[in-house]
Amino acid sequence: MTSVQTPIIQMKNIEKHFGAVIALAGVSLDVMPGECHCLLGDNGAGKSTFIKTMSGVHKPTKGEIHFEGKPMHFARPRDSISAGIATVYQDLAMIPLMSVARNFFMGNEPTKRVGGINFFDHKLANEVTMAEMKKMGINLRGPDQAVGTLSGGERQTVAIARAVHFGAKVLILDEPTSALGVRQTSNVLATIDKVRKKDIGVVFISHNVRHAMAVGDRFTVLNRGKTLGTANRSEITPEELQDMMAGGQELAKLEGSLGGTV
């Protein structure tokens, strides 16, 4: 991990209220260049609300966001994207019947001018797509291959490669391995490692401790909208992480009251 003192992004005491419902109750997290910071928690812990606040979808009710050392106020998701925060959601926002190249450049289409009219530059798009996917370890049959014919892991890699190509400084991955098989999961985790080595900060959201431990440098556990703690890889075991996520104190109390193991 690169030894840089200033985090790319800092989220300080973030609260998010939806009317009377408090989804986040003071969550703090920072991400360093070249670091994979894993955000762990069970369903309902507040992970999705937190990353949507980080990416500009939600405005925090309270708290501060600092990006590259400066206070940042994202009015809309486009602001965070322009700053260099890219989010890859579970649905991937891809069109299965369209080619990999068209999906790769969706919203950022390269053009060439012919007879005073701008046309989609297929040649450039195809060349860049093939090169960027090869860097991530994916050898496509061709750039015109439909995204729908790719495996789940390969689709994740397309989305990640796209974000990296368009200048992501922080890459947020929302449960990228949740619906994948063993081999596809390994490929995605290898891709995350490649991204980290480019000095990009990665926020890896997961509820799978094994997957997080495979690539994570630091781990923050959320529970009911609060931070239970943040630990470096050397400071915590997989069992301790799992115990924090499962509410270890509650389990210990239950074991004591039952006089045995749960």
Side-chain angles (χ1 to χ4, degrees):
M1 187 175 70
T2 306
S3 56
V4 179
Q5 295 301 314
T6 305
I8 305 177
I9 189 166
Q10 286 179 292
M11 310 285 285
K12 297 181 178 180
N13 301 315
I14 299 297
E15 293 187 20
K16 181 59 185 175
H17 304 171
F18 296 98
V21 177
I22 301 175
L24 298 173
V27 178
S28 297
L29 178 144
D30 61 71
V31 185
M32 306 296 287
E35 173 187 46
C36 180
H37 195 140
C38 298
L39 185 63
L40 297 150
D42 211 343
N43 293 334
K47 303 189 302 295
S48 294
T49 302
F50 186 72
I51 63 167
K52 285 179 180 177
T53 304
M54 182 184 283
S55 60
V57 175
H58 296 322
K59 292 181 182 178
T61 306
K62 293 181 182 178
E64 300 176 10
I65 301 175
H66 288 250
F67 190 80
E68 296 184 321
K70 299 175 183 176
M72 185 67 72
H73 304 282
F74 299 135
R76 53 187 180 144
R78 177 57 63 181
D79 292 343
S80 67
I81 293 170
S82 299
I85 301 173
T87 306
V88 176
Y89 293 103
Q90 289 178 349
D91 59 15
L92 298 178
M94 290 189 183
I95 301 174
L97 294 178
M98 281 175 54
S99 70
V100 175
R102 289 306 294 255
N103 273 282
F104 192 96
F105 282 97
M106 197 183 332
N108 294 283
E109 290 81 1
T111 58
K112 61 181 178 180
R113 202 163 182 83
V114 179
I117 301 173
N118 288 332
F119 290 92
F120 181 77
D121 192 339
H122 286 279
K123 185 174 184 295
L124 177 61
N126 291 346
E127 289 174 354
V128 170
T129 299
M130 292 297 285
E132 292 300 315
M133 293 302 294
K134 190 170 184 179
K135 287 179 188 175
M136 294 296 179
I138 303 294
N139 292 310
L140 300 171
R141 292 200 303 267
D144 57 349
Q145 183 176 352
V147 159
T149 65
L150 301 178
S151 70
E154 288 170 336
R155 291 186 209 186
Q156 285 282 355
T157 302
V158 172
I160 293 169
R162 178 173 65 187
V164 171
H165 176 73
F166 287 107
K169 297 176 183 177
V170 175
L171 178 64
I172 304 170
L173 301 174
D174 183 17
E175 301 271 9
T177 60
S178 62
L180 303 182
V182 176
R183 173 173 283 186
Q184 293 180 32
T185 294
S186 296
N187 290 343
V188 170
L189 294 177
T191 301
I192 293 172
D193 188 50
K194 290 185 176 107
V195 171
R196 177 176 54 184
K197 288 175 180 175
K198 294 178 182 286
D199 257 5
I200 296 169
V202 179
V203 181
F204 178 19
I205 291 87
S206 182
H207 59 264
N208 190 306
V209 170
R210 285 186 61 208
H211 296 172
M213 291 296 290
V215 291
D217 296 298
R218 279 194 294 162
F219 309 89
T220 294
V221 178
L222 292 188
N223 184 279
R224 298 177 186 175
K226 294 182 179 180
T227 308
L228 289 186
T230 296
N232 294 319
R233 168 187 284 279
S234 61
E235 299 171 338
I236 197 163
T237 66
E239 292 74 25
E240 288 170 336
L241 258 184
Q242 190 74 56
D243 196 42
M244 285 179 69
M245 286 177 59
Q249 293 179 341
E250 288 85 349
L251 286 174
K253 288 177 184 177
L254 184 58
E255 288 178 12
S257 66
L258 295 176
T261 57
V262 178

